[in-house]
Amino acid sequence: MFESILKRQLAVFDIRDLTIVGNVDLRCIPFNDDFTTISSFYVRCTMYGVAQRFETLTATSTDLASVPREVWSIVPPHRRIKRPAVFHDFLYQCRPLVSLPTGPRLMMRNEADALLYHACITEGMSDEQCFAIYQAVRIGGSSVWHAHDAQFV
């Protein structure tokens, strides 16, 4: 039942055919658990029935899915979650334009989280892993999203 509720929530965005093109190259930020991208990649999909293309920026800061370094041996952030996590961090920081049938507007948080879910599916993660990650960002991502609000006023 829980999964069917989430599937209905995600269906609203009508995200289809998500593809991640390119590799993620990262550099560690000294004295920090964060990384910065040293190359860009892009994600294309159909959302709301309209073709979308989101290109990440070089120098995007990422914490690789907020997985503490101490548990990397259990939950390695540098495997299948790597590109979706960097993409999601980019979406939160930059809030790119979403193309709609009525015209473009800035991305909303629930759209960024839905794209993360679909990016995880694209990378071959299990439904259970994807739902857990989606729920984690829905529950814990609000403060991170709002930390960037001032840039978009």
Side-chain angles (χ1 to χ4, degrees), residues 61-145:
S61 177
T62 183
D63 63 1
L64 293 176
S66 302
V67 177
R69 193 178 295 263
E70 297 78 30
V71 295
W72 281 8
S73 62
I74 301 165
V75 183
H78 49 277
R79 295 221 177 117
R80 289 183 176 166
I81 189 68
K82 183 178 173 183
R83 292 193 305 177
V86 172
F87 176 55
H88 188 252
D89 287 348
F90 160 77
L91 296 176
Y92 266 45
Q93 292 167 35
C94 297
R95 298 185 195 171
L97 292 176
V98 175
S99 298
L100 301 171
T102 57
R105 66 155 167 72
L106 288 179
M107 180 169 288
M108 295 186 302
R109 180 174 163 243
N110 58 352
E111 294 165 333
D113 296 345
L115 285 164
L116 171 65
Y117 170 84
H118 285 279
C120 289
I121 291 288
T122 296
E123 292 294 89
M125 297 175 71
S126 71
D127 279 345
E128 294 80 18
Q129 290 172 316
C130 297
F131 280 124
I133 290 165
Y134 175 75
Q135 282 301 101
V137 296
R138 291 307 301 154
I139 293 167
S142 180
S143 62
V144 177
W145 178 267

